[in-house]
Amino acid sequence: MNVRNARNVALAAIAATLAGVTAAWAAPAPAPIILTGADRRPAISLNGEWAAIVDPYFSGMYNSHHQEKKNGWFVNHKAKPGDEFPTEYNFSTASRLKVPGDWNTQRRSLYYYEGPIWYERDFTYQPKEHTRVFLHVGAANYKSWFWVNGIKVCEHEGGYTSFNCEVTTAVHAGGNFVVAAVDNTRLADGVPGLQTDWWNYGGLTRTVSLIEVPESFIEQYDLHLSRTEDSVIEGWVIMNSPVNGAKAEVEIPELGAKTSAKVGDGGLAAIRVEVKGLKRWSPETPIIYKVRISAGQDSIDELIGFRTVEVRGTEILLNGKPIFLRGVCIHAEAPYRTGRANTDKDAETLLGWAKEMGANFVRLAHYPHDETMLRAADRMGLLVWSENPVYWALQFDNPKVLAKAEQQLDEEIGTSRNHAAIILWSMANETPNTEARTKFIETEAAHARELDPTRLITAALLVHAEGNTKIVDDPLGKALDVIGTNEYIGWYEKRPETADITQWRIDYQKPVIMSEFGGEAKAGLHGRKTERWTEEYQADIYRHQLGMLNRIPQLRGMSAWILMDFRSPNRPLAGIQDEYNRKGLISEQGKKKLAYFILQKAYKEKTVGKPE
Ligand code: GCU
């Protein structure tokens, strides 16, 4: 038997034993949970510098037969003389990456990197009696696995929603360590799929912390103003591991309102309280109330605005009155430093520019944005379109993909359901008009309605044309409360002035939002208005668009594509795009283009959209 065979036999033997053992240590870790208002809980921050090992072949996770490794790079193994296996990684000597943050803008060598990277961080902790601990991850793009002290605590798929892994039994007194493997490889059966028009920023892109809660704690809650009964706040609280006879209580000190309810089956307590003197939240008056939610030994001090939103015919009603949404789209690209946006400052800069432009609405594209952005929208008075990353082409006939989309909806809505600013849950963007797609998104929309019947369901549809007539007849429109439509007259099709002679045929008696329109310009590039890429050309598109938009009878909103230039791998034009989509009204370095002032004038003077 030659060496090779001997080795293969040995390997087979090892594989067999490993297979045996596989069952034990590879047992799936418990699923992470969704926590509403996690950012309102006291937390032990794990942000900062983490050790990082780039592992393009994922050899820290899989052996040469692509089986998960027993001693993968998740044990803080320090090489010892006589060790059976050579230890080929060492976090203490590894390079560092900042958390939160994408890795692409932290190191030139990782700019285009798509693959796994291992993160490690030491922390000290003191367990407390009757206390459970969760590892809160604001977001990890795209797939991620977590171990605490070598014990697998969870794995997750989806790059733009937060999740919480229980680590109560994994932590101990004194020194602890957490290891995360994060892989931003794009997947054909992923959500989003293989193609996007934004940079695939990888890593632990949002805050990471430890959250302590009592043994039975508040997992999710929903508080909103009733659409049917004036001055009634209703909703529910869900407890995790409730004790018998537990009560949930909601108190709004400024309104002198207080109510409590018994926690029943499934940890659910239904809440209803009449309030006097409530001032409703709106873009003009973004009034936020302190709300204390308590149940058992647990409590959360929330900040919530109360408003109603609904559709009546082709009108969108905010607090019972028709509203026109003067908006702009925003990607979670950080102004100036670029990379994933994840700070209050990022949010205030981006939303500040939108407010300054006279907007009362932002479409947060194409994935759920950070809680910092949503808190800022509540504070600053900007209505929000929040979107699930069902973008362009997905495997719509693959039930696993539908389950992933629904899981991301659960996390998006479960985490952000109490933001007054959010009025629209968007199910998708520019998906192909096929039967499988329509069925997929109808199911997704039904799921969203079940999770949250208090908001409007929308999606951004592709439209087709016959001559100069744009036709909105996508069958998906039936499943939506509000129709979003994207068009690029003057950029991807025809000339800016074609908008002047463009008609719109909309086969639905529903409110319509022009969810994307615009064109590209390099900030500072000037020329004749017929020259593409100049600010004058982009401005000309906007001038003609505003006229056309005003001629669409049931237009109830618009969100220009896009507030700020953002990185995209589809934009290589050197000297102009340089891997940025330049449809921003502002450059990534904050330079306002001519078109910004055209839209600002129309929004401030309310010359676009039906007067309220
Ligand atoms: C599409 C898409 C955006 C994209 C934009 C563009 O409509 O929804 O994600 O960035 O067009 O081409 O600039």
PDB file of all heavy atoms in Angstrom, residues 314-316 323-325 483 485 504 506 510-515 517 545-546 548-558 608-610:
ATOM      1  N   THR A 314     -56.940  56.858  -4.087  1.00  0.00           N
ATOM      2  CA  THR A 314     -55.575  57.110  -4.581  1.00  0.00           C
ATOM      3  C   THR A 314     -54.818  58.067  -3.650  1.00  0.00           C
ATOM      4  O   THR A 314     -53.782  58.600  -4.004  1.00  0.00           O
ATOM      5  CB  THR A 314     -55.635  57.736  -5.985  1.00  0.00           C
ATOM      6  OG1 THR A 314     -56.305  59.001  -5.864  1.00  0.00           O
ATOM      7  CG2 THR A 314     -56.350  56.839  -6.975  1.00  0.00           C
ATOM      8  N   GLU A 315     -55.393  58.304  -2.451  1.00  0.00           N
ATOM      9  CA  GLU A 315     -54.735  59.207  -1.500  1.00  0.00           C
ATOM     10  C   GLU A 315     -53.969  58.413  -0.447  1.00  0.00           C
ATOM     11  O   GLU A 315     -54.400  57.334  -0.027  1.00  0.00           O
ATOM     12  CB  GLU A 315     -55.788  60.057  -0.762  1.00  0.00           C
ATOM     13  CG  GLU A 315     -56.568  61.011  -1.627  1.00  0.00           C
ATOM     14  CD  GLU A 315     -55.722  62.191  -2.130  1.00  0.00           C
ATOM     15  OE1 GLU A 315     -54.529  62.293  -1.732  1.00  0.00           O
ATOM     16  OE2 GLU A 315     -56.233  62.960  -2.959  1.00  0.00           O
ATOM     17  N   ILE A 316     -52.827  58.984  -0.026  1.00  0.00           N
ATOM     18  CA  ILE A 316     -52.136  58.490   1.165  1.00  0.00           C
ATOM     19  C   ILE A 316     -52.494  59.463   2.281  1.00  0.00           C
ATOM     20  O   ILE A 316     -52.338  60.680   2.118  1.00  0.00           O
ATOM     21  CB  ILE A 316     -50.611  58.457   0.971  1.00  0.00           C
ATOM     22  CG1 ILE A 316     -50.225  57.507  -0.162  1.00  0.00           C
ATOM     23  CG2 ILE A 316     -49.915  58.054   2.272  1.00  0.00           C
ATOM     24  CD1 ILE A 316     -48.738  57.483  -0.484  1.00  0.00           C
ATOM     25  N   ILE A 323     -51.452  63.430   1.993  1.00  0.00           N
ATOM     26  CA  ILE A 323     -50.081  63.946   2.031  1.00  0.00           C
ATOM     27  C   ILE A 323     -49.401  63.655   0.695  1.00  0.00           C
ATOM     28  O   ILE A 323     -49.739  62.680   0.006  1.00  0.00           O
ATOM     29  CB  ILE A 323     -49.278  63.313   3.184  1.00  0.00           C
ATOM     30  CG1 ILE A 323     -47.913  63.994   3.322  1.00  0.00           C
ATOM     31  CG2 ILE A 323     -49.122  61.795   2.975  1.00  0.00           C
ATOM     32  CD1 ILE A 323     -47.217  63.730   4.630  1.00  0.00           C
ATOM     33  N   PHE A 324     -48.461  64.536   0.312  1.00  0.00           N
ATOM     34  CA  PHE A 324     -47.624  64.281  -0.864  1.00  0.00           C
ATOM     35  C   PHE A 324     -46.208  64.068  -0.374  1.00  0.00           C
ATOM     36  O   PHE A 324     -45.694  64.852   0.435  1.00  0.00           O
ATOM     37  CB  PHE A 324     -47.657  65.434  -1.863  1.00  0.00           C
ATOM     38  CG  PHE A 324     -46.959  65.077  -3.149  1.00  0.00           C
ATOM     39  CD1 PHE A 324     -47.640  64.432  -4.164  1.00  0.00           C
ATOM     40  CD2 PHE A 324     -45.606  65.335  -3.320  1.00  0.00           C
ATOM     41  CE1 PHE A 324     -46.987  64.054  -5.339  1.00  0.00           C
ATOM     42  CE2 PHE A 324     -44.939  64.961  -4.485  1.00  0.00           C
ATOM     43  CZ  PHE A 324     -45.629  64.325  -5.500  1.00  0.00           C
ATOM     44  N   LEU A 325     -45.603  62.982  -0.811  1.00  0.00           N
ATOM     45  CA  LEU A 325     -44.270  62.613  -0.331  1.00  0.00           C
ATOM     46  C   LEU A 325     -43.197  63.202  -1.235  1.00  0.00           C
ATOM     47  O   LEU A 325     -43.006  62.754  -2.367  1.00  0.00           O
ATOM     48  CB  LEU A 325     -44.157  61.086  -0.263  1.00  0.00           C
ATOM     49  CG  LEU A 325     -45.256  60.375   0.536  1.00  0.00           C
ATOM     50  CD1 LEU A 325     -45.149  58.870   0.403  1.00  0.00           C
ATOM     51  CD2 LEU A 325     -45.208  60.798   2.007  1.00  0.00           C
ATOM     52  N   ILE A 483     -48.225  51.874  -5.162  1.00  0.00           N
ATOM     53  CA  ILE A 483     -47.424  51.409  -6.293  1.00  0.00           C
ATOM     54  C   ILE A 483     -46.183  52.280  -6.433  1.00  0.00           C
ATOM     55  O   ILE A 483     -46.297  53.512  -6.525  1.00  0.00           O
ATOM     56  CB  ILE A 483     -48.241  51.533  -7.609  1.00  0.00           C
ATOM     57  CG1 ILE A 483     -49.622  50.912  -7.461  1.00  0.00           C
ATOM     58  CG2 ILE A 483     -47.462  51.031  -8.801  1.00  0.00           C
ATOM     59  CD1 ILE A 483     -49.735  49.478  -7.861  1.00  0.00           C
ATOM     60  N   THR A 485     -42.925  53.085  -8.875  1.00  0.00           N
ATOM     61  CA  THR A 485     -42.482  52.852 -10.261  1.00  0.00           C
ATOM     62  C   THR A 485     -41.164  53.578 -10.488  1.00  0.00           C
ATOM     63  O   THR A 485     -40.977  54.692 -10.007  1.00  0.00           O
ATOM     64  CB  THR A 485     -43.508  53.417 -11.280  1.00  0.00           C
ATOM     65  OG1 THR A 485     -43.668  54.813 -10.985  1.00  0.00           O
ATOM     66  CG2 THR A 485     -44.837  52.722 -11.201  1.00  0.00           C
ATOM     67  N   TRP A 504     -48.704  58.772 -19.027  1.00  0.00           N
ATOM     68  CA  TRP A 504     -48.665  57.616 -18.116  1.00  0.00           C
ATOM     69  C   TRP A 504     -50.028  56.947 -18.069  1.00  0.00           C
ATOM     70  O   TRP A 504     -51.036  57.626 -17.841  1.00  0.00           O
ATOM     71  CB  TRP A 504     -48.236  58.052 -16.713  1.00  0.00           C
ATOM     72  CG  TRP A 504     -46.776  58.305 -16.635  1.00  0.00           C
ATOM     73  CD1 TRP A 504     -46.112  59.409 -17.103  1.00  0.00           C
ATOM     74  CD2 TRP A 504     -45.773  57.425 -16.120  1.00  0.00           C
ATOM     75  NE1 TRP A 504     -44.761  59.272 -16.899  1.00  0.00           N
ATOM     76  CE2 TRP A 504     -44.527  58.058 -16.284  1.00  0.00           C
ATOM     77  CE3 TRP A 504     -45.826  56.178 -15.516  1.00  0.00           C
ATOM     78  CZ2 TRP A 504     -43.327  57.467 -15.878  1.00  0.00           C
ATOM     79  CZ3 TRP A 504     -44.638  55.586 -15.118  1.00  0.00           C
ATOM     80  CH2 TRP A 504     -43.403  56.220 -15.312  1.00  0.00           C
ATOM     81  N   ILE A 506     -51.857  54.177 -15.888  1.00  0.00           N
ATOM     82  CA  ILE A 506     -51.689  53.395 -14.649  1.00  0.00           C
ATOM     83  C   ILE A 506     -52.951  52.579 -14.428  1.00  0.00           C
ATOM     84  O   ILE A 506     -54.032  53.133 -14.262  1.00  0.00           O
ATOM     85  CB  ILE A 506     -51.399  54.347 -13.480  1.00  0.00           C
ATOM     86  CG1 ILE A 506     -50.083  55.092 -13.757  1.00  0.00           C
ATOM     87  CG2 ILE A 506     -51.329  53.584 -12.162  1.00  0.00           C
ATOM     88  CD1 ILE A 506     -49.781  56.240 -12.859  1.00  0.00           C
ATOM     89  N   LYS A 510     -54.767  53.296  -7.318  1.00  0.00           N
ATOM     90  CA  LYS A 510     -54.007  53.315  -6.057  1.00  0.00           C
ATOM     91  C   LYS A 510     -53.022  54.486  -6.083  1.00  0.00           C
ATOM     92  O   LYS A 510     -52.684  54.971  -7.177  1.00  0.00           O
ATOM     93  CB  LYS A 510     -53.216  51.994  -5.906  1.00  0.00           C
ATOM     94  CG  LYS A 510     -54.102  50.765  -5.779  1.00  0.00           C
ATOM     95  CD  LYS A 510     -53.312  49.501  -5.529  1.00  0.00           C
ATOM     96  CE  LYS A 510     -54.274  48.324  -5.354  1.00  0.00           C
ATOM     97  NZ  LYS A 510     -53.611  47.068  -4.926  1.00  0.00           N
ATOM     98  N   PRO A 511     -52.552  54.916  -4.908  1.00  0.00           N
ATOM     99  CA  PRO A 511     -51.539  55.974  -4.905  1.00  0.00           C
ATOM    100  C   PRO A 511     -50.267  55.470  -5.587  1.00  0.00           C
ATOM    101  O   PRO A 511     -49.919  54.296  -5.449  1.00  0.00           O
ATOM    102  CB  PRO A 511     -51.278  56.230  -3.417  1.00  0.00           C
ATOM    103  CG  PRO A 511     -52.351  55.524  -2.679  1.00  0.00           C
ATOM    104  CD  PRO A 511     -52.874  54.440  -3.544  1.00  0.00           C
ATOM    105  N   VAL A 512     -49.601  56.375  -6.312  1.00  0.00           N
ATOM    106  CA  VAL A 512     -48.354  56.013  -7.000  1.00  0.00           C
ATOM    107  C   VAL A 512     -47.218  56.884  -6.489  1.00  0.00           C
ATOM    108  O   VAL A 512     -47.389  58.085  -6.273  1.00  0.00           O
ATOM    109  CB  VAL A 512     -48.517  56.191  -8.528  1.00  0.00           C
ATOM    110  CG1 VAL A 512     -47.167  56.083  -9.240  1.00  0.00           C
ATOM    111  CG2 VAL A 512     -49.499  55.167  -9.078  1.00  0.00           C
ATOM    112  N   ILE A 513     -46.060  56.242  -6.263  1.00  0.00           N
ATOM    113  CA  ILE A 513     -44.839  56.982  -5.916  1.00  0.00           C
ATOM    114  C   ILE A 513     -43.832  56.755  -7.041  1.00  0.00           C
ATOM    115  O   ILE A 513     -43.598  55.589  -7.426  1.00  0.00           O
ATOM    116  CB  ILE A 513     -44.245  56.477  -4.586  1.00  0.00           C
ATOM    117  CG1 ILE A 513     -45.194  56.770  -3.414  1.00  0.00           C
ATOM    118  CG2 ILE A 513     -42.871  57.099  -4.323  1.00  0.00           C
ATOM    119  CD1 ILE A 513     -44.720  56.207  -2.079  1.00  0.00           C
ATOM    120  N   MET A 514     -43.264  57.846  -7.612  1.00  0.00           N
ATOM    121  CA  MET A 514     -42.189  57.650  -8.585  1.00  0.00           C
ATOM    122  C   MET A 514     -40.946  57.368  -7.757  1.00  0.00           C
ATOM    123  O   MET A 514     -40.290  58.279  -7.252  1.00  0.00           O
ATOM    124  CB  MET A 514     -42.008  58.874  -9.461  1.00  0.00           C
ATOM    125  CG  MET A 514     -41.171  58.643 -10.696  1.00  0.00           C
ATOM    126  SD  MET A 514     -41.824  57.333 -11.749  1.00  0.00           S
ATOM    127  CE  MET A 514     -43.261  58.196 -12.454  1.00  0.00           C
ATOM    128  N   SER A 515     -40.656  56.096  -7.567  1.00  0.00           N
ATOM    129  CA  SER A 515     -39.647  55.687  -6.578  1.00  0.00           C
ATOM    130  C   SER A 515     -38.217  55.815  -7.062  1.00  0.00           C
ATOM    131  O   SER A 515     -37.284  55.678  -6.261  1.00  0.00           O
ATOM    132  CB  SER A 515     -39.943  54.258  -6.124  1.00  0.00           C
ATOM    133  OG  SER A 515     -40.383  53.464  -7.194  1.00  0.00           O
ATOM    134  N   PHE A 517     -36.006  58.169 -10.359  1.00  0.00           N
ATOM    135  CA  PHE A 517     -35.822  58.898 -11.615  1.00  0.00           C
ATOM    136  C   PHE A 517     -34.539  59.713 -11.456  1.00  0.00           C
ATOM    137  O   PHE A 517     -34.069  59.929 -10.332  1.00  0.00           O
ATOM    138  CB  PHE A 517     -37.022  59.803 -11.926  1.00  0.00           C
ATOM    139  CG  PHE A 517     -37.278  60.856 -10.884  1.00  0.00           C
ATOM    140  CD1 PHE A 517     -36.761  62.144 -11.018  1.00  0.00           C
ATOM    141  CD2 PHE A 517     -38.006  60.562  -9.741  1.00  0.00           C
ATOM    142  CE1 PHE A 517     -36.990  63.111 -10.046  1.00  0.00           C
ATOM    143  CE2 PHE A 517     -38.241  61.523  -8.764  1.00  0.00           C
ATOM    144  CZ  PHE A 517     -37.738  62.821  -8.929  1.00  0.00           C
ATOM    145  N   GLN A 545     -38.392  66.344 -15.785  1.00  0.00           N
ATOM    146  CA  GLN A 545     -39.094  65.347 -14.964  1.00  0.00           C
ATOM    147  C   GLN A 545     -40.202  66.009 -14.137  1.00  0.00           C
ATOM    148  O   GLN A 545     -41.320  65.525 -14.060  1.00  0.00           O
ATOM    149  CB  GLN A 545     -38.100  64.667 -14.019  1.00  0.00           C
ATOM    150  CG  GLN A 545     -37.228  63.634 -14.694  1.00  0.00           C
ATOM    151  CD  GLN A 545     -38.000  62.358 -15.014  1.00  0.00           C
ATOM    152  OE1 GLN A 545     -38.784  61.881 -14.206  1.00  0.00           O
ATOM    153  NE2 GLN A 545     -37.820  61.846 -16.217  1.00  0.00           N
ATOM    154  N   LEU A 546     -39.877  67.154 -13.527  1.00  0.00           N
ATOM    155  CA  LEU A 546     -40.841  67.781 -12.604  1.00  0.00           C
ATOM    156  C   LEU A 546     -42.143  68.103 -13.327  1.00  0.00           C
ATOM    157  O   LEU A 546     -43.240  67.863 -12.819  1.00  0.00           O
ATOM    158  CB  LEU A 546     -40.213  69.017 -11.962  1.00  0.00           C
ATOM    159  CG  LEU A 546     -39.017  68.714 -11.049  1.00  0.00           C
ATOM    160  CD1 LEU A 546     -38.336  69.996 -10.585  1.00  0.00           C
ATOM    161  CD2 LEU A 546     -39.457  67.865  -9.861  1.00  0.00           C
ATOM    162  N   MET A 548     -43.349  66.555 -15.991  1.00  0.00           N
ATOM    163  CA  MET A 548     -44.066  65.294 -16.296  1.00  0.00           C
ATOM    164  C   MET A 548     -44.733  64.746 -15.040  1.00  0.00           C
ATOM    165  O   MET A 548     -45.900  64.343 -15.053  1.00  0.00           O
ATOM    166  CB  MET A 548     -43.095  64.245 -16.852  1.00  0.00           C
ATOM    167  CG  MET A 548     -43.748  62.907 -17.086  1.00  0.00           C
ATOM    168  SD  MET A 548     -42.543  61.600 -17.418  1.00  0.00           S
ATOM    169  CE  MET A 548     -41.840  61.361 -15.795  1.00  0.00           C
ATOM    170  N   LEU A 549     -43.979  64.747 -13.934  1.00  0.00           N
ATOM    171  CA  LEU A 549     -44.519  64.156 -12.696  1.00  0.00           C
ATOM    172  C   LEU A 549     -45.811  64.863 -12.281  1.00  0.00           C
ATOM    173  O   LEU A 549     -46.767  64.227 -11.831  1.00  0.00           O
ATOM    174  CB  LEU A 549     -43.469  64.222 -11.588  1.00  0.00           C
ATOM    175  CG  LEU A 549     -42.240  63.344 -11.827  1.00  0.00           C
ATOM    176  CD1 LEU A 549     -41.148  63.630 -10.809  1.00  0.00           C
ATOM    177  CD2 LEU A 549     -42.609  61.868 -11.801  1.00  0.00           C
ATOM    178  N   ASN A 550     -45.848  66.149 -12.527  1.00  0.00           N
ATOM    179  CA  ASN A 550     -47.056  66.899 -12.125  1.00  0.00           C
ATOM    180  C   ASN A 550     -48.262  66.537 -12.979  1.00  0.00           C
ATOM    181  O   ASN A 550     -49.399  66.806 -12.618  1.00  0.00           O
ATOM    182  CB  ASN A 550     -46.791  68.412 -12.231  1.00  0.00           C
ATOM    183  CG  ASN A 550     -46.414  68.957 -10.862  1.00  0.00           C
ATOM    184  OD1 ASN A 550     -46.695  68.313  -9.845  1.00  0.00           O
ATOM    185  ND2 ASN A 550     -45.779  70.103 -10.841  1.00  0.00           N
ATOM    186  N   ARG A 551     -48.004  65.855 -14.121  1.00  0.00           N
ATOM    187  CA  ARG A 551     -49.134  65.512 -15.008  1.00  0.00           C
ATOM    188  C   ARG A 551     -49.661  64.100 -14.741  1.00  0.00           C
ATOM    189  O   ARG A 551     -50.553  63.612 -15.395  1.00  0.00           O
ATOM    190  CB  ARG A 551     -48.683  65.617 -16.476  1.00  0.00           C
ATOM    191  CG  ARG A 551     -48.585  67.064 -16.966  1.00  0.00           C
ATOM    192  CD  ARG A 551     -48.272  67.180 -18.473  1.00  0.00           C
ATOM    193  NE  ARG A 551     -46.889  66.792 -18.786  1.00  0.00           N
ATOM    194  CZ  ARG A 551     -46.589  65.644 -19.396  1.00  0.00           C
ATOM    195  NH1 ARG A 551     -47.543  64.767 -19.712  1.00  0.00           N
ATOM    196  NH2 ARG A 551     -45.323  65.341 -19.656  1.00  0.00           N
ATOM    197  N   ILE A 552     -49.070  63.412 -13.734  1.00  0.00           N
ATOM    198  CA  ILE A 552     -49.548  62.043 -13.434  1.00  0.00           C
ATOM    199  C   ILE A 552     -50.639  62.130 -12.367  1.00  0.00           C
ATOM    200  O   ILE A 552     -50.360  62.494 -11.217  1.00  0.00           O
ATOM    201  CB  ILE A 552     -48.381  61.163 -12.940  1.00  0.00           C
ATOM    202  CG1 ILE A 552     -47.280  61.105 -14.013  1.00  0.00           C
ATOM    203  CG2 ILE A 552     -48.877  59.763 -12.575  1.00  0.00           C
ATOM    204  CD1 ILE A 552     -46.041  60.341 -13.599  1.00  0.00           C
ATOM    205  N   PRO A 553     -51.892  61.853 -12.754  1.00  0.00           N
ATOM    206  CA  PRO A 553     -53.028  62.139 -11.856  1.00  0.00           C
ATOM    207  C   PRO A 553     -52.869  61.560 -10.448  1.00  0.00           C
ATOM    208  O   PRO A 553     -53.012  62.267  -9.471  1.00  0.00           O
ATOM    209  CB  PRO A 553     -54.221  61.528 -12.577  1.00  0.00           C
ATOM    210  CG  PRO A 553     -53.677  60.733 -13.711  1.00  0.00           C
ATOM    211  CD  PRO A 553     -52.290  61.170 -13.971  1.00  0.00           C
ATOM    212  N   GLN A 554     -52.500  60.266 -10.320  1.00  0.00           N
ATOM    213  CA  GLN A 554     -52.513  59.717  -8.960  1.00  0.00           C
ATOM    214  C   GLN A 554     -51.132  59.656  -8.330  1.00  0.00           C
ATOM    215  O   GLN A 554     -50.871  58.888  -7.420  1.00  0.00           O
ATOM    216  CB  GLN A 554     -53.155  58.345  -8.961  1.00  0.00           C
ATOM    217  CG  GLN A 554     -52.405  57.294  -9.709  1.00  0.00           C
ATOM    218  CD  GLN A 554     -53.351  56.516 -10.605  1.00  0.00           C
ATOM    219  OE1 GLN A 554     -53.644  56.940 -11.714  1.00  0.00           O
ATOM    220  NE2 GLN A 554     -53.825  55.399 -10.086  1.00  0.00           N
ATOM    221  N   LEU A 555     -50.241  60.568  -8.786  1.00  0.00           N
ATOM    222  CA  LEU A 555     -48.914  60.591  -8.154  1.00  0.00           C
ATOM    223  C   LEU A 555     -49.048  61.168  -6.745  1.00  0.00           C
ATOM    224  O   LEU A 555     -49.562  62.269  -6.578  1.00  0.00           O
ATOM    225  CB  LEU A 555     -47.923  61.436  -8.961  1.00  0.00           C
ATOM    226  CG  LEU A 555     -46.471  61.250  -8.533  1.00  0.00           C
ATOM    227  CD1 LEU A 555     -45.902  59.957  -9.123  1.00  0.00           C
ATOM    228  CD2 LEU A 555     -45.618  62.453  -8.943  1.00  0.00           C
ATOM    229  N   ARG A 556     -48.598  60.426  -5.759  1.00  0.00           N
ATOM    230  CA  ARG A 556     -48.707  60.879  -4.376  1.00  0.00           C
ATOM    231  C   ARG A 556     -47.347  60.974  -3.705  1.00  0.00           C
ATOM    232  O   ARG A 556     -47.239  61.170  -2.494  1.00  0.00           O
ATOM    233  CB  ARG A 556     -49.610  59.937  -3.581  1.00  0.00           C
ATOM    234  CG  ARG A 556     -51.052  59.946  -4.063  1.00  0.00           C
ATOM    235  CD  ARG A 556     -51.728  61.276  -3.834  1.00  0.00           C
ATOM    236  NE  ARG A 556     -53.059  61.265  -4.445  1.00  0.00           N
ATOM    237  CZ  ARG A 556     -53.308  61.746  -5.664  1.00  0.00           C
ATOM    238  NH1 ARG A 556     -52.310  62.287  -6.375  1.00  0.00           N
ATOM    239  NH2 ARG A 556     -54.523  61.696  -6.178  1.00  0.00           N
ATOM    240  N   GLY A 557     -46.323  60.759  -4.537  1.00  0.00           N
ATOM    241  CA  GLY A 557     -44.990  60.888  -3.949  1.00  0.00           C
ATOM    242  C   GLY A 557     -43.911  60.645  -4.977  1.00  0.00           C
ATOM    243  O   GLY A 557     -44.183  60.144  -6.075  1.00  0.00           O
ATOM    244  N   MET A 558     -42.709  61.023  -4.621  1.00  0.00           N
ATOM    245  CA  MET A 558     -41.571  60.817  -5.520  1.00  0.00           C
ATOM    246  C   MET A 558     -40.297  60.714  -4.689  1.00  0.00           C
ATOM    247  O   MET A 558     -40.203  61.282  -3.604  1.00  0.00           O
ATOM    248  CB  MET A 558     -41.443  61.999  -6.489  1.00  0.00           C
ATOM    249  CG  MET A 558     -41.425  63.334  -5.774  1.00  0.00           C
ATOM    250  SD  MET A 558     -41.854  64.710  -6.828  1.00  0.00           S
ATOM    251  CE  MET A 558     -40.262  64.979  -7.576  1.00  0.00           C
ATOM    252  N   VAL A 608     -44.231  70.868  -6.998  1.00  0.00           N
ATOM    253  CA  VAL A 608     -44.435  69.516  -7.527  1.00  0.00           C
ATOM    254  C   VAL A 608     -45.317  68.754  -6.556  1.00  0.00           C
ATOM    255  O   VAL A 608     -45.196  68.920  -5.341  1.00  0.00           O
ATOM    256  CB  VAL A 608     -43.094  68.783  -7.758  1.00  0.00           C
ATOM    257  CG1 VAL A 608     -42.367  68.550  -6.448  1.00  0.00           C
ATOM    258  CG2 VAL A 608     -43.304  67.487  -8.513  1.00  0.00           C
ATOM    259  N   GLY A 609     -46.252  68.010  -7.155  1.00  0.00           N
ATOM    260  CA  GLY A 609     -47.139  67.229  -6.292  1.00  0.00           C
ATOM    261  C   GLY A 609     -48.400  68.025  -5.969  1.00  0.00           C
ATOM    262  O   GLY A 609     -48.410  69.255  -5.989  1.00  0.00           O
ATOM    263  N   LYS A 610     -49.426  67.230  -5.624  1.00  0.00           N
ATOM    264  CA  LYS A 610     -50.750  67.834  -5.381  1.00  0.00           C
ATOM    265  C   LYS A 610     -50.665  68.664  -4.106  1.00  0.00           C
ATOM    266  O   LYS A 610     -50.124  68.206  -3.111  1.00  0.00           O
ATOM    267  CB  LYS A 610     -51.728  66.675  -5.180  1.00  0.00           C
ATOM    268  CG  LYS A 610     -53.101  66.960  -5.685  1.00  0.00           C
ATOM    269  CD  LYS A 610     -53.896  65.658  -5.833  1.00  0.00           C
ATOM    270  CE  LYS A 610     -55.274  65.880  -5.255  1.00  0.00           C
ATOM    271  NZ  LYS A 610     -55.704  64.936  -4.282  1.00  0.00           N
TER     272      LYS A 610
END
